[in-house]
Amino acid sequence: INVSDLTFEKATEIKNKFDANGLKIFSLGSPIGKINADESFDTHFEKFKHTLEIANILEASNIRVFSFYIPKGAKADDFKNEVIERLGKICEVAKINKVDICHENEKGIYGDTPERCLDIFKAIPELRGVFDPANFVQCGENVISAWNKLKGYIKYLHIKDSKTDGTIVPAGVGDACIAEILRAY
């Protein structure tokens, strides 16, 4: 089950098991922001607020989000203001709850290029980043250049590798410059 769909009871059960084993949860890998940028945001925002409550139960200090899929045939820049408004609203509520929101770059969302990720980070200073080098490879971006542009905003890394043809491969086997990114991080 996706973490955003957990009941409060199940989250409490998970938290108790983690506590019993001396483990902490750093970040929730939510699906928030994985809807089209032109879809209604109200229901999705309610799902986010539920996910935030789950983060509080689990004592996770971070929630990973995305910056909304761009509808087929549309231009990403046409959705810049909508994306920033939605992510800003998410960050505003999270800040009250002392949880950091971390945006991950992914193919097909507004923030799938380093430049558009920068747009978001500059517009929402409290937003942090999850750097996924494989997703930049899949978008045809230079991973090292992307890192150099975004490194000041990155809170953590998604260790995933990809070949330029889009094939996901074990970390260090593809074209995502995993070793170089880890050294730089």
Side-chain angles (χ1 to χ4, degrees), residues 7-8 12 22 49 68 77 92 96 101 109 151 161 169 185:
T7 63
F8 299 145
T12 301
K49 290 192 288 189
F68 306 95
D77 290 340
E92 197 174 292
I96 294 165
I101 300 301
I109 63 173
K151 63 186 174 187
D161 209 342
V169 295
Y185 182 74

Side-chain angles (χ1 to χ4, degrees), residues 15 19 48 89 128 159 176:
K15 174 71 169 115
D19 287 349
F48 164 71
K89 188 174 179 180
R128 306 310 308 148
I159 304 300

